[in-house]
Amino acid sequence: QVQLVESGGGLVQAGGSLRLSCAASGRTFSIYRVGWFRQAPGKEREFVAGFRWSGGTTYYADSVKGRFIISRDNAKNTVYLQMNSLKPEDTAVYSCAADAGYGYAYWGQGTQVTVSS
């Protein structure tokens, strides 16, 4: 099992920044990739950013490219999502998820991000 705990959400004005954290514990050696997802009210959950746990290429949704940065602190088993130039349309519940080789089976509880105009 892998446990994921997000933190760092909140209310911010448009143009501001927030950094989300996702702390992983448990069988982290089994993780193949990690992703951040978000779901706005009345909308489908969408992929935001991700990378392979072993390192390498990062992936971003077109809507956040150039504004969001995903990174990892290996020593802390923590994944970060730095969100800059936030827009009202970025308002959503953000969740991190881990794939242990058979899809994103492990999810955190989510953290609310609200961007005011």
Side-chain angles (χ1 to χ4, degrees), residues 28-97:
T28 58
F29 61 85
S30 68
I31 296 175
Y32 169 63
R33 59 179 175 166
V34 172
W36 281 99
F37 295 77
R38 67 185 181 186
Q39 187 168 21
K43 294 188 176 181
E44 296 287 323
R45 183 167 59 199
E46 64 174 351
F47 172 82
V48 176
F51 60 83
R52 291 188 179 181
W53 193 246
S54 60
T57 304
T58 55
Y59 305 89
Y60 296 94
D62 288 343
S63 58
V64 306
K65 277 181 183 176
R67 300 188 299 123
F68 291 11
I69 301 171
I70 189 170
S71 64
R72 172 189 173 189
D73 184 328
N74 292 338
K76 297 181 179 179
N77 277 337
T78 298
V79 177
Y80 302 99
L81 185 67
Q82 177 67 42
M83 306 185 295
N84 302 318
S85 302
L86 283 161
K87 306 174 181 180
E89 51 264 44
D90 293 318
T91 295
V93 174
Y94 285 71
S95 301
C96 64

